[in-house]
Amino acid sequence: MSTVRLRAGHVQPVWAGHPWVFAQAIESVDGAPAPGDVVTVVDPRGNFLGRGYWSPSSAIPVRIVTRDPGDPLDAASVGRRVEAAAAWRRAWLGLPSDETTGYRIVHGEGDGLPGVVADVYGETLSVQFTTIGAKRRQEEIVGHLVRVTGCRAVVETSSERVARLEGFEPHTGVLRGPDVASLEFRERGLALSIPLEVAQKTGYYFDQRDNRARIEDLARDRTVLDAFSYVGAFALFAARGGARRIVAIDSSPAAIATGAALAASAGYADRIEFVRADVRRALADMAAAGERFDVVVLDPPKLAPTVKDLEAGRKAYRRLNAAGLRLVRDGGLLVSCSCSAAMRQDDLQRTIGLAARDAGCHVAVLWVGQQAPDHPVLASFPEGRYLKCVVARVDR
Ligand code: SAH
């Protein structure tokens, strides 16, 4: 097994539990590991730090999978991790249940399986590989996932961009079992069905489950704007919570069409209006027309994809939140989400504060939500807490 030796001054975060070994932290590599081979990571004196898979073309050439020197990272050890991920979700989160049959069963680093993201949609498993090490072990990983979930079909939803960065062939589509045309599941009792050709990421955003539940609780008799709606999940739960009128906006025609079909089958079509539009345009147009909502939800895609984009990202969040705030009626609520890992909680909150200045109102934070617990975060891995959801009262 090859050994990766770290530079002095780059050891502490890894020692303390951060799972990423950046290229600039590496002093030398003993041996000639092939892409995806298991490597041992040591400090400058040769002390064992951990073991992971070798991703030579990545800016993160090793993601630590184990810190146990006795763990060879063989198929059995990967299987134990998959079993553990399933077992604690069953024991502590009650997932799956009759009410919720869609959830994340493996969340990369948070489950000790960097490179693997796996979501269960009823009887279908949707898997993303994000490292060449995980991709090379696809058969055994999928085998373990099928064994613990009993899923009949498996689809791969790996990102093409990530596959190219890691140096493997991008592939999406059915890996095992019958040809599935759509992902069918329930979230807290609501039946959802998403055609595979519409699916973004693994198919659906389970990470917002708890934040949607909060909006459902607040929605009775309210008017709600669901901006960046995808298939309108916030809108559907607001409708179930008794919202009077909901407008859902997304730029994807397929997502909007799917949302409208879901609203019709749930019996909410008369209260949710689905609009295909660029949110930035739509917010400005509605503000100019004097429209106001009791609740405005903003759930944009990553506006600060990496730390390098942070400055531009802050500006984009500020502009978007100011536009959203102009649509909240006096005493109403702004629900402002960010899925940019680089944008930390306090940073987002400060940015919303600046947006309030721009929009001429005051905001007071009531709740701060994050990704649902089937997306766990290692304590020493702040980047893992990517989703923030700030619920704030707006006063003019
Ligand atoms: N709120 C959704 C998830 C939103 S993901 C949920 O709870 O499931 C972000 C969405 O923003 C995607 O559906 C994408 O199609 C949409 N989007 C990206 N840029 C946009 C823009 N400029 N205007 C409108 N929608 C946009």
Side-chain angles (χ1 to χ4, degrees), residues 187 200-201 203-209 212 226-235 249-253 255 275-282 297-303 337 339:
E187 172 165 305
Q200 299 179 3
K201 307 285 172 77
Y204 178 77
Y205 299 92
F206 294 130
D207 51 5
Q208 291 280 24
R209 184 189 309 114
R212 291 184 196 116
D226 177 5
F228 304 96
S229 67
Y230 185 41
V231 298
F234 273 104
I249 305 176
D250 200 278
S251 57
S252 155
V275 180
R276 197 216 67 82
D278 183 323
V279 161
R280 281 158 257 249
R281 281 289 295 254
V297 180
L298 303 174
D299 186 17
K302 286 188 200 115
L303 302 179
C337 308
C339 57

Side-chain angles (χ1 to χ4, degrees), residues 1 7 39 76 78 84 95 121 158 190 220 293 353 366 384:
M1 192 182 298
R7 289 211 160 99
V39 295
V78 169
L95 292 173
Y121 293 88
S158 297
L190 185 74
R220 178 151 305 281
F293 294 87
L366 308 180

Side-chain angles (χ1 to χ4, degrees), residues 109-295:
E109 283 81 356
D111 284 298
L113 284 164
V116 186
V117 170
D119 284 352
V120 173
Y121 293 88
E123 299 204 309
T124 301
L125 194 70
S126 174
V127 190
Q128 286 186 330
F129 299 101
T130 64
T131 63
I132 189 154
K135 180 69 183 175
R136 249 182 61 184
R137 291 160 183 81
Q138 171 174 317
E139 280 309 301
E140 72 192 52
I141 291 168
V142 166
H144 290 304
L145 285 165
V146 166
R147 179 170 55 81
V148 302
T149 61
C151 280
R152 280 165 17 92
V154 183
V155 295
E156 180 178 358
T157 47
S158 297
S159 143
E160 211 179 294
R161 190 186 59 84
V162 171
R164 288 195 202 294
L165 284 177
E166 282 283 322
F168 63 87
E169 270 308 299
H171 174 269
T172 53
V174 176
L175 288 179
R176 283 197 193 185
D179 251 342
V180 283
S182 61
L183 301 168
E184 317 266 340
F185 60 101
R186 298 169 81 76
E187 172 165 305
R188 297 187 307 106
L190 185 74
L192 295 158
S193 166
I194 300 180
L196 265 189
E197 71 269 16
V198 176
Q200 299 179 3
K201 307 285 172 77
T202 74
Y204 178 77
Y205 299 92
F206 294 130
D207 51 5
Q208 291 280 24
R209 184 189 309 114
D210 295 353
N211 303 320
R212 291 184 196 116
R214 166 134 16 241
I215 300 315
E216 177 176 6
D217 286 344
L218 295 167
R220 178 151 305 281
D221 296 329
R222 307 294 187 187
T223 57
V224 178
L225 175 65
D226 177 5
F228 304 96
S229 67
Y230 185 41
V231 298
F234 273 104
L236 292 164
F237 283 101
R240 195 171 76 170
R244 188 149 56 80
R245 172 172 175 258
I246 304 145
V247 178
I249 305 176
D250 200 278
S251 57
S252 155
I256 286 296
T258 304
L262 291 172
S265 58
Y268 304 142
D270 55 332
R271 285 184 289 143
I272 310 180
E273 183 190 342
F274 279 92
V275 180
R276 197 216 67 82
D278 183 323
V279 161
R280 281 158 257 249
R281 281 289 295 254
L283 295 184
D285 290 350
M286 286 189 288
E291 278 216 52
R292 296 289 182 270
F293 294 87
D294 297 316
V295 181

Side-chain angles (χ1 to χ4, degrees), residues 324-348:
L325 282 166
R326 292 191 181 97
L327 287 173
V328 182
R329 72 147 172 85
D330 185 25
L333 299 182
L334 174 75
V335 180
S336 180
C337 308
S338 162
C339 57
S340 305
M343 187 87 177
R344 301 286 160 84
Q345 166 64 39
D346 53 346
D347 205 348
L348 177 66

Side-chain angles (χ1 to χ4, degrees), residues 74-125:
D74 55 5
S77 118
V78 169
R80 281 194 298 276
R81 287 182 166 71
V82 173
E83 280 161 19
W88 79 255
R89 281 166 175 77
R90 250 193 321 272
W92 291 98
L93 308 180
L95 292 173
S97 65
D98 289 346
E99 296 290 282
T100 301
T101 60
Y103 64 102
R104 177 148 299 180
I105 186 152
V106 172
H107 184 61
E109 283 81 356
D111 284 298
L113 284 164
V116 186
V117 170
D119 284 352
V120 173
Y121 293 88
E123 299 204 309
T124 301
L125 194 70

